[in-house]
Amino acid sequence: MRALVLLAGLAACGGRRAEPVEPLRVAAASDLSRAFPEVGAAFTRATGHAVTFAFGSSGQLARQVIEGAPYGVLASADEAFVDRAVAAGACEAASRTVYAVGRIGLWTPAGAAPPPADLAG
């Protein structure tokens, strides 16, 4: 079975503002809602700068950033949304990076029927 590889992108946004805004506002894919609060706390301890998060759909958050929402970082579950925000001039191209690579897996409990044959390809 082939695995589907997922790439997630990250970029610094808010290029339209002249000065940084405190706290740092991060627009992040909802799948990051369990991990990013801990990352934000570590960032605050290390830098003294507060961080707030808005979690949601990558597409909706990217659209908000493109339309001028005051986020300093966009963390998307799909790097194409980050690319769109960069192309629109809402995020800095030099800051764009892949923060995660994942694979979709299939798990079944012991004794469960095998997966349908059409998933094998």
Side-chain angles (χ1 to χ4, degrees), residues 75-102:
S76 171
D78 182 339
E79 65 181 330
F81 292 117
V82 172
D83 291 340
R84 289 182 196 152
V86 168
C91 295
E92 298 174 23
S95 71
R96 188 194 174 288
T97 189
V98 173
Y99 68 83
V101 177

Side-chain angles (χ1 to χ4, degrees), residues 30-105:
S30 58
D31 64 336
L32 299 170
S33 65
R34 294 178 66 100
F36 266 30
E38 186 175 333
V39 171
F43 178 84
T44 299
R45 283 190 304 274
T47 67
H49 296 285
V51 181
T52 61
F53 297 97
F55 295 104
S57 154
S58 293
Q60 290 176 333
L61 293 170
R63 185 173 43 249
Q64 290 174 9
V65 167
I66 290 168
E67 293 175 359
Y71 295 113
V73 174
L74 172 62
S76 171
D78 182 339
E79 65 181 330
F81 292 117
V82 172
D83 291 340
R84 289 182 196 152
V86 168
C91 295
E92 298 174 23
S95 71
R96 188 194 174 288
T97 189
V98 173
Y99 68 83
V101 177
R103 293 196 170 116
I104 294 178

Side-chain angles (χ1 to χ4, degrees), residues 2-28:
R2 283 181 264 152
L4 175 61
V5 176
L6 305 173
L7 300 174
L10 176 84
C13 302
R16 297 181 183 123
R17 293 188 307 271
E19 296 183 22
V21 175
E22 180 90 15
L24 173 62
R25 296 188 66 208
V26 177

